[in-house]
Amino acid sequence: MKLRKGKQKFTQGLLPLWDHQCALCEINLPELLMATHSKPWKDSTDEERLDIYNGLLLCCNHEILYDQGYIAFDGSGKIHIASEIDITEYGKYGIHAKMRVNRREENKPYFKWHKRNIFRG
Ligand SMILES: [Zn+2]
């Protein structure tokens, strides 16, 4: 119960932070949006788990790409795309090399952690 309340609070805090839309492609149908952690739940301290700046609001496709390390963001918020995804296929995934997310300073350490530990490169 405590866990669920924490997650709910986390998601509720994330929505306005990312204008209720996918940080990457701006899809805004609530049913398609997912709150994800840059530094995953299992690797985070209790404090990091509930830190909304450890979170990112993404549509379901982009959430899985991020969660599985196919995409990452650097300190400036610029996208990095794993070499496993061929450049000619980017369009199918709704991504392109010049995308960036509107990150805040507080997102930086979490983006860096994700890029270093989860990104496939
Ligand atoms: Zn998206």
Side-chain angles (χ1 to χ4, degrees):
M1 191 60 196
K2 198 182 161 199
L3 184 86
R4 203 186 319 158
K5 269 194 176 158
K7 273 202 163 171
Q8 238 172 43
K9 209 175 148 194
F10 178 77
T11 305
Q12 290 309 312
L14 266 185
L15 288 167
L17 205 58
W18 296 99
D19 294 330
H20 299 259
Q21 61 187 21
C22 173
L24 212 45
C25 69
E26 300 177 1
I27 275 179
N28 64 1
L29 272 185
E31 292 84 353
L32 297 188
L33 293 174
M34 297 168 83
T36 190
H37 284 83
S38 293
K39 187 172 183 178
W41 187 265
K42 65 174 171 55
D43 298 306
S44 290
T45 64
D46 284 348
E47 200 180 314
E48 288 170 335
R49 285 174 181 169
L50 298 177
D51 183 357
I52 54 171
Y53 296 105
N54 185 16
L56 194 56
L57 190 66
L58 293 167
C59 67
C60 40
N61 277 5
H62 289 145
E63 194 273 336
I64 292 169
L65 287 174
Y66 188 63
D67 188 64
Q68 296 296 313
Y70 286 104
I71 56 172
F73 305 102
D74 63 22
S76 73
K78 185 186 176 300
I79 196 170
H80 290 253
I81 302 168
S83 56
E84 286 165 74
I85 299 181
D86 193 87
I87 195 163
T88 60
E89 308 269 288
Y90 285 4
K92 292 180 188 171
Y93 295 96
I95 51 177
H96 61 80
K98 287 190 172 160
M99 277 178 144
R100 58 174 60 244
V101 295
N102 193 13
R103 68 111 183 95
R104 287 160 174 82
E105 275 303 306
E106 296 92 328
N107 294 126
K108 259 175 146 173
Y110 293 116
F111 281 0
K112 285 182 176 171
W113 191 97
H114 173 274
K115 188 164 173 288
R116 200 165 47 236
N117 295 286
I118 310 281
F119 186 50
R120 294 163 181 253

